[in-house]
mmCIF file of all heavy atoms in Angstrom:
data_model
loop_
_atom_site.group_PDB
_atom_site.id
_atom_site.type_symbol
_atom_site.label_atom_id
_atom_site.label_comp_id
_atom_site.label_asym_id
_atom_site.label_seq_id
_atom_site.Cartn_x
_atom_site.Cartn_y
_atom_site.Cartn_z
ATOM 1 N N PHE A 75 96.275 89.851 91.911
ATOM 2 C CA PHE A 75 96.637 91.278 91.896
ATOM 3 C C PHE A 75 96.622 91.682 90.423
ATOM 4 O O PHE A 75 97.535 91.289 89.663
ATOM 5 C CB PHE A 75 97.978 91.514 92.565
ATOM 6 C CG PHE A 75 97.952 91.181 94.012
ATOM 7 C CD1 PHE A 75 98.386 89.986 94.524
ATOM 8 C CD2 PHE A 75 97.440 92.091 94.937
ATOM 9 C CE1 PHE A 75 98.344 89.668 95.865
ATOM 10 C CE2 PHE A 75 97.385 91.834 96.286
ATOM 11 C CZ PHE A 75 97.836 90.598 96.806
ATOM 12 N N ALA A 76 95.594 92.412 89.986
ATOM 13 C CA ALA A 76 95.306 92.663 88.592
ATOM 14 C C ALA A 76 95.758 94.018 88.134
ATOM 15 O O ALA A 76 95.116 95.045 88.478
ATOM 16 C CB ALA A 76 93.829 92.491 88.322
ATOM 17 N N PRO A 77 96.881 94.085 87.389
ATOM 18 C CA PRO A 77 97.341 95.398 86.909
ATOM 19 C C PRO A 77 96.394 95.968 85.799
ATOM 20 O O PRO A 77 95.867 95.191 84.986
ATOM 21 C CB PRO A 77 98.734 95.081 86.292
ATOM 22 C CG PRO A 77 98.991 93.650 86.479
ATOM 23 C CD PRO A 77 97.755 93.021 87.000
ATOM 24 N N THR A 78 96.232 97.248 85.825
ATOM 25 C CA THR A 78 95.397 97.930 84.848
ATOM 26 C C THR A 78 96.125 98.093 83.540
ATOM 27 O O THR A 78 97.365 97.856 83.460
ATOM 28 C CB THR A 78 95.022 99.342 85.361
ATOM 29 O OG1 THR A 78 96.211 100.109 85.516
ATOM 30 C CG2 THR A 78 94.224 99.274 86.637
ATOM 31 N N ASN A 79 95.394 98.519 82.502
ATOM 32 C CA ASN A 79 96.033 98.796 81.191
ATOM 33 C C ASN A 79 97.111 99.836 81.400
ATOM 34 O O ASN A 79 98.164 99.786 80.787
ATOM 35 C CB ASN A 79 94.957 99.308 80.197
ATOM 36 C CG ASN A 79 93.988 98.223 79.805
ATOM 37 O OD1 ASN A 79 94.224 97.050 79.994
ATOM 38 N ND2 ASN A 79 92.857 98.662 79.259
ATOM 39 N N ALA A 80 96.845 100.864 82.204
ATOM 40 C CA ALA A 80 97.828 101.940 82.455
ATOM 41 C C ALA A 80 99.101 101.382 83.059
ATOM 42 O O ALA A 80 100.213 101.867 82.734
ATOM 43 C CB ALA A 80 97.224 103.029 83.345
ATOM 44 N N ALA A 81 98.992 100.362 83.912
ATOM 45 C CA ALA A 81 100.158 99.717 84.475
ATOM 46 C C ALA A 81 101.002 99.045 83.412
ATOM 47 O O ALA A 81 102.216 99.167 83.408
ATOM 48 C CB ALA A 81 99.726 98.700 85.548
ATOM 49 N N PHE A 82 100.310 98.352 82.508
ATOM 50 C CA PHE A 82 101.033 97.728 81.372
ATOM 51 C C PHE A 82 101.657 98.790 80.463
ATOM 52 O O PHE A 82 102.816 98.644 80.002
ATOM 53 C CB PHE A 82 100.112 96.770 80.553
ATOM 54 C CG PHE A 82 99.924 95.460 81.244
ATOM 55 C CD1 PHE A 82 98.783 95.195 81.953
ATOM 56 C CD2 PHE A 82 100.880 94.456 81.139
ATOM 57 C CE1 PHE A 82 98.540 93.961 82.569
ATOM 58 C CE2 PHE A 82 100.691 93.218 81.722
ATOM 59 C CZ PHE A 82 99.538 92.968 82.448
ATOM 60 N N ASP A 83 100.927 99.874 80.225
ATOM 61 C CA ASP A 83 101.414 100.975 79.373
ATOM 62 C C ASP A 83 102.660 101.614 79.973
ATOM 63 O O ASP A 83 103.477 102.210 79.248
ATOM 64 C CB ASP A 83 100.346 102.040 79.205
ATOM 65 C CG ASP A 83 99.181 101.544 78.357
ATOM 66 O OD1 ASP A 83 99.287 100.483 77.674
ATOM 67 O OD2 ASP A 83 98.115 102.222 78.383
ATOM 68 N N ALA A 84 102.845 101.553 81.296
ATOM 69 C CA ALA A 84 103.993 102.179 81.953
ATOM 70 C C ALA A 84 105.294 101.350 81.790
ATOM 71 O O ALA A 84 106.358 101.873 82.103
ATOM 72 C CB ALA A 84 103.703 102.391 83.417
ATOM 73 N N LEU A 85 105.181 100.142 81.328
ATOM 74 C CA LEU A 85 106.337 99.325 81.064
ATOM 75 C C LEU A 85 107.126 99.933 79.889
ATOM 76 O O LEU A 85 106.551 100.654 79.055
ATOM 77 C CB LEU A 85 105.947 97.850 80.740
ATOM 78 C CG LEU A 85 105.323 97.092 81.884
ATOM 79 C CD1 LEU A 85 104.766 95.735 81.328
ATOM 80 C CD2 LEU A 85 106.349 96.847 83.002
ATOM 81 N N HIS A 109 101.386 87.225 89.813
ATOM 82 C CA HIS A 109 100.278 88.105 90.236
ATOM 83 C C HIS A 109 99.200 87.277 90.922
ATOM 84 O O HIS A 109 98.130 87.852 91.310
ATOM 85 C CB HIS A 109 99.673 88.866 89.097
ATOM 86 C CG HIS A 109 100.594 89.951 88.542
ATOM 87 N ND1 HIS A 109 101.622 89.685 87.735
ATOM 88 C CD2 HIS A 109 100.564 91.279 88.757
ATOM 89 C CE1 HIS A 109 102.237 90.828 87.413
ATOM 90 N NE2 HIS A 109 101.600 91.798 88.046
ATOM 91 N N PHE A 141 106.798 88.407 96.972
ATOM 92 C CA PHE A 141 106.644 89.835 97.037
ATOM 93 C C PHE A 141 106.409 90.209 98.532
ATOM 94 O O PHE A 141 106.233 89.353 99.364
ATOM 95 C CB PHE A 141 105.513 90.305 96.177
ATOM 96 C CG PHE A 141 105.678 90.041 94.722
ATOM 97 C CD1 PHE A 141 104.602 89.716 93.910
ATOM 98 C CD2 PHE A 141 106.945 90.011 94.156
ATOM 99 C CE1 PHE A 141 104.753 89.415 92.587
ATOM 100 C CE2 PHE A 141 107.118 89.766 92.782
ATOM 101 C CZ PHE A 141 106.017 89.475 91.980
ATOM 102 N N ILE A 152 102.274 96.402 97.327
ATOM 103 C CA ILE A 152 102.984 95.189 97.075
ATOM 104 C C ILE A 152 104.306 95.543 96.377
ATOM 105 O O ILE A 152 104.276 96.188 95.338
ATOM 106 C CB ILE A 152 102.170 94.229 96.134
ATOM 107 C CG1 ILE A 152 100.739 93.962 96.652
ATOM 108 C CG2 ILE A 152 102.917 92.922 95.898
ATOM 109 C CD1 ILE A 152 100.682 93.175 97.928
ATOM 110 N N ASP A 154 107.584 94.260 94.479
ATOM 111 C CA ASP A 154 108.027 93.093 93.756
ATOM 112 C C ASP A 154 109.540 92.801 94.069
ATOM 113 O O ASP A 154 110.147 93.528 94.836
ATOM 114 C CB ASP A 154 107.740 93.174 92.259
ATOM 115 C CG ASP A 154 108.592 94.174 91.474
ATOM 116 O OD1 ASP A 154 109.642 94.641 92.000
ATOM 117 O OD2 ASP A 154 108.188 94.484 90.334
ATOM 118 N N GLY A 157 111.978 95.704 93.590
ATOM 119 C CA GLY A 157 111.809 96.929 94.403
ATOM 120 C C GLY A 157 110.727 97.857 93.884
ATOM 121 O O GLY A 157 110.466 98.908 94.478
ATOM 122 N N SER A 158 110.044 97.493 92.789
ATOM 123 C CA SER A 158 108.922 98.283 92.280
ATOM 124 C C SER A 158 107.728 98.109 93.199
ATOM 125 O O SER A 158 107.415 97.030 93.646
ATOM 126 C CB SER A 158 108.610 97.861 90.850
ATOM 127 O OG SER A 158 107.591 98.672 90.365
ATOM 128 N N VAL A 159 107.023 99.218 93.445
ATOM 129 C CA VAL A 159 105.886 99.158 94.396
ATOM 130 C C VAL A 159 104.578 99.446 93.667
ATOM 131 O O VAL A 159 104.418 100.430 92.994
ATOM 132 C CB VAL A 159 106.067 100.229 95.527
ATOM 133 C CG1 VAL A 159 104.887 100.223 96.501
ATOM 134 C CG2 VAL A 159 107.394 99.989 96.262
ATOM 135 N N ALA A 160 103.662 98.477 93.801
ATOM 136 C CA ALA A 160 102.302 98.642 93.278
ATOM 137 C C ALA A 160 101.338 98.945 94.444
ATOM 138 O O ALA A 160 101.558 98.345 95.546
ATOM 139 C CB ALA A 160 101.867 97.334 92.575
ATOM 140 N N THR A 161 100.419 99.769 94.186
ATOM 141 C CA THR A 161 99.394 100.108 95.207
ATOM 142 C C THR A 161 98.060 99.448 94.816
ATOM 143 O O THR A 161 97.664 99.473 93.631
ATOM 144 C CB THR A 161 99.199 101.643 95.296
ATOM 145 O OG1 THR A 161 100.471 102.198 95.682
ATOM 146 C CG2 THR A 161 98.176 102.052 96.340
ATOM 147 N N VAL A 162 97.395 98.855 95.815
ATOM 148 C CA VAL A 162 96.060 98.336 95.570
ATOM 149 C C VAL A 162 95.116 99.522 95.456
ATOM 150 O O VAL A 162 94.948 100.294 96.419
ATOM 151 C CB VAL A 162 95.624 97.384 96.683
ATOM 152 C CG1 VAL A 162 94.190 96.943 96.522
ATOM 153 C CG2 VAL A 162 96.534 96.167 96.734
ATOM 154 N N THR A 163 94.509 99.710 94.293
ATOM 155 C CA THR A 163 93.616 100.841 94.041
ATOM 156 C C THR A 163 92.151 100.519 94.254
ATOM 157 O O THR A 163 91.339 101.329 94.585
ATOM 158 C CB THR A 163 93.832 101.421 92.638
ATOM 159 O OG1 THR A 163 93.618 100.396 91.668
ATOM 160 C CG2 THR A 163 95.263 101.985 92.494
ATOM 161 N N HIS A 175 92.307 92.081 93.493
ATOM 162 C CA HIS A 175 92.738 93.402 93.993
ATOM 163 C C HIS A 175 93.359 94.142 92.769
ATOM 164 O O HIS A 175 94.333 93.596 92.233
ATOM 165 C CB HIS A 175 93.737 93.333 95.117
ATOM 166 C CG HIS A 175 93.272 92.561 96.321
ATOM 167 N ND1 HIS A 175 92.229 93.039 97.138
ATOM 168 C CD2 HIS A 175 93.631 91.343 96.810
ATOM 169 C CE1 HIS A 175 92.062 92.155 98.115
ATOM 170 N NE2 HIS A 175 92.845 91.116 97.921
ATOM 171 N N VAL A 176 92.781 95.241 92.368
ATOM 172 C CA VAL A 176 93.317 95.989 91.249
ATOM 173 C C VAL A 176 94.568 96.740 91.696
ATOM 174 O O VAL A 176 94.534 97.386 92.786
ATOM 175 C CB VAL A 176 92.255 96.972 90.694
ATOM 176 C CG1 VAL A 176 92.853 97.831 89.549
ATOM 177 C CG2 VAL A 176 91.054 96.216 90.206
ATOM 178 N N ILE A 177 95.649 96.699 90.913
ATOM 179 C CA ILE A 177 96.880 97.361 91.280
ATOM 180 C C ILE A 177 97.326 98.278 90.142
ATOM 181 O O ILE A 177 96.880 98.121 88.969
ATOM 182 C CB ILE A 177 98.019 96.401 91.619
ATOM 183 C CG1 ILE A 177 98.287 95.379 90.493
ATOM 184 C CG2 ILE A 177 97.710 95.642 92.933
ATOM 185 C CD1 ILE A 177 99.476 94.491 90.728
ATOM 186 N N ASP A 178 98.189 99.249 90.481
ATOM 187 C CA ASP A 178 98.563 100.283 89.496
ATOM 188 C C ASP A 178 99.932 100.029 88.851
ATOM 189 O O ASP A 178 100.416 100.911 88.121
ATOM 190 C CB ASP A 178 98.543 101.665 90.177
ATOM 191 C CG ASP A 178 99.515 101.787 91.333
ATOM 192 O OD1 ASP A 178 100.162 100.804 91.711
ATOM 193 O OD2 ASP A 178 99.573 102.881 91.874
ATOM 194 N N LYS A 179 100.548 98.892 89.099
ATOM 195 C CA LYS A 179 101.851 98.589 88.480
ATOM 196 C C LYS A 179 101.863 97.089 88.145
ATOM 197 O O LYS A 179 101.194 96.290 88.816
ATOM 198 C CB LYS A 179 103.021 98.882 89.396
ATOM 199 C CG LYS A 179 103.266 100.370 89.623
ATOM 200 C CD LYS A 179 104.693 100.710 89.578
ATOM 201 C CE LYS A 179 104.920 102.193 89.528
ATOM 202 N NZ LYS A 179 104.638 103.047 90.587
ATOM 203 N N VAL A 180 102.704 96.710 87.168
ATOM 204 C CA VAL A 180 102.893 95.302 86.862
ATOM 205 C C VAL A 180 104.053 94.803 87.783
ATOM 206 O O VAL A 180 105.081 95.467 87.876
ATOM 207 C CB VAL A 180 103.290 95.100 85.377
ATOM 208 C CG1 VAL A 180 103.627 93.664 85.104
ATOM 209 C CG2 VAL A 180 102.163 95.597 84.456
ATOM 210 N N LEU A 181 103.764 93.740 88.476
ATOM 211 C CA LEU A 181 104.781 93.146 89.387
ATOM 212 C C LEU A 181 105.666 92.252 88.539
ATOM 213 O O LEU A 181 105.196 91.371 87.774
ATOM 214 C CB LEU A 181 104.100 92.317 90.446
ATOM 215 C CG LEU A 181 103.101 93.127 91.339
ATOM 216 C CD1 LEU A 181 102.256 92.161 92.207
ATOM 217 C CD2 LEU A 181 103.834 94.106 92.222
ATOM 218 N N LEU A 182 106.972 92.391 88.678
ATOM 219 C CA LEU A 182 107.920 91.624 87.896
ATOM 220 C C LEU A 182 108.784 90.764 88.761
ATOM 221 O O LEU A 182 109.362 91.228 89.770
ATOM 222 C CB LEU A 182 108.748 92.566 87.025
ATOM 223 C CG LEU A 182 107.985 93.346 85.989
ATOM 224 C CD1 LEU A 182 108.882 94.377 85.301
ATOM 225 C CD2 LEU A 182 107.312 92.456 84.931
#
Side-chain angles (χ1 to χ4, degrees):
F75 294 98
T78 61
N79 292 342
F82 281 100
D83 292 345
L85 293 171
H109 287 78
F141 298 146
I152 307 293
D154 71 15
S158 182
V159 179
T161 300
V162 174
T163 57
H175 301 292
V176 177
I177 57 174
D178 63 355
K179 291 222 166 70
V180 176
L181 302 168
L182 296 172

